[in-house]
Amino acid sequence: MGPLPRTLELFYDVLSPYSWLAFEVLCRYKNIWNVSLQLRPTLIAGIMKDSGNRPPALLPRKALYVKNDVRLLGQHLQVPIHLPKDFFFVVFEKGSLTAMRFLTVVKLEHPELLEKVSRELWMRIWSRDEDITEPQSILAAAENAGMSTGQAQELLERVSTPQVKNQLKETTEAACKYGAFGLPVTVAHLDDETYMLFGSDRMELLAHLLGEKWMGPVPPAVTARL
Ligand SMILES: N[C@@H](CCC(=O)N[C@@H](CS)C(=O)NCC(=O)O)C(=O)O
């Protein structure tokens, strides 16, 4: 038997553009670093409430900074981020509750499609300024990720069931227990130690903790294909 795989849990919400950045970088590195990457759909609103934090964009000067930061990081990390025209309406009015419940049920029933469906939802909201709250929008994302219409509809019908609601709540609580006050959060389980890292900008530190090499956001073996 070989050594036990090191595990990384990525807590994310598709409402969080920084989560998208962390997600793409970790998806690029998971095989290079030989880590088991567990994707954990989480509700950022729940984390804000539980920790008493507030979204950075509620402070006007921070909002300006974040918009620019995310745009520049998108270019640097080769993730095609284009901010939605009505940033505040999209983030603070529309939110991500149904989308995150949908990803929760995808993880339960078709975990092999979770990466792709998550990416499709991010592409909609943070690249093409498309809705992610209406049933048709969620179905379109699922179908683009390779799910049949029937499969996607079946899962969508389950988003309001106690099982799915509770699962999303449990995952959000798990992130809070690790100390989350925002997203993305990467929890690294390495030998006897557990580390909680906040942000998409902790990857170099993560490489250091893993004893692996950080080769920048787009490692040579990988071509960014977004
Ligand atoms: N510096 C971090 C920022 C991450 C970030 O601001 N995430 C937002 C959600 S998109 C958040 O939860 N912020 C909470 C906070 O900054 O306290 C990065 O580059 O990823």
Side-chain angles (χ1 to χ4, degrees):
M1 209 168 72
L4 286 177
R6 288 93 49 93
T7 303
L8 303 179
E9 296 179 79
L10 175 67
F11 293 89
Y12 66 97
D13 186 320
V14 293
L15 200 57
S16 156
Y18 289 105
S19 290
W20 190 13
L21 299 172
F23 168 93
E24 293 301 347
V25 173
L26 289 177
C27 287
R28 290 170 192 164
Y29 268 95
K30 66 182 173 191
N31 294 330
I32 299 173
W33 286 344
N34 193 22
V35 287
S36 152
L37 178 62
Q38 294 182 5
L39 297 176
R40 305 208 61 187
T42 312
L43 196 66
I44 192 164
I47 289 186
M48 290 293 165
K49 193 163 171 231
D50 189 79
S51 62
N53 198 359
R54 281 160 61 80
L58 284 178
L59 185 77
R61 216 176 276 181
K62 258 194 193 174
L64 267 181
Y65 179 80
V66 161
K67 286 183 190 172
N68 211 34
D69 191 42
V70 156
R71 191 177 55 80
L72 293 174
L73 284 169
Q75 290 167 10
H76 176 51
L77 274 62
Q78 298 185 32
V79 177
I81 292 188
H82 304 287
L83 296 176
K85 265 202 205 83
D86 198 343
F87 182 92
F88 284 89
F89 180 61
V90 165
V91 172
F92 297 116
E93 300 288 328
K94 293 175 86 177
S96 60
L97 182 61
T98 310
M100 295 317 293
R101 283 185 182 157
F102 187 75
L103 289 179
T104 301
V105 69
V106 171
K107 183 174 167 82
L108 286 170
E109 300 301 335
H110 294 285
E112 74 286 0
L113 289 177
L114 182 60
E115 179 183 327
K116 281 190 172 165
V117 183
S118 302
R119 183 176 290 116
E120 288 298 330
L121 286 167
W122 267 306
M123 288 292 280
R124 290 187 69 88
I125 179 172
W126 288 109
S127 195
R128 301 195 299 260
D129 196 1
E130 290 171 354
D131 173 78
I132 58 158
T133 62
E134 298 295 331
Q136 289 317 319
S137 312
I138 293 175
L139 290 176
E143 285 168 29
N144 272 351
M147 216 177 262
S148 73
T149 311
Q151 257 179 341
Q153 259 160 354
E154 211 175 283
L155 296 193
L156 194 57
E157 277 163 23
R158 288 182 49 198
V159 292
S160 297
T161 60
Q163 185 203 16
V164 173
K165 287 183 179 177
N166 287 338
Q167 182 56 61
L168 180 57
K169 229 172 128 202
E170 271 172 32
T171 305
T172 304
E173 281 167 7
C176 290
K177 277 203 190 114
Y178 283 125
F181 53 85
L183 289 176
V185 157
T186 308
V187 178
H189 301 275
L190 314 175
D191 302 322
D192 296 335
E193 295 284 350
T194 296
Y195 302 92
M196 187 281 265
L197 305 177
F198 166 68
S200 58
D201 50 1
R202 302 289 99 180
M203 297 301 161
E204 201 167 348
L205 176 60
L206 178 60
H208 165 74
L209 295 172
L210 286 163
E212 297 285 353
K213 206 164 154 199
W214 171 244
M215 295 173 277
V218 189
V222 171
T223 359
R225 64 207 140 65
L226 295 168

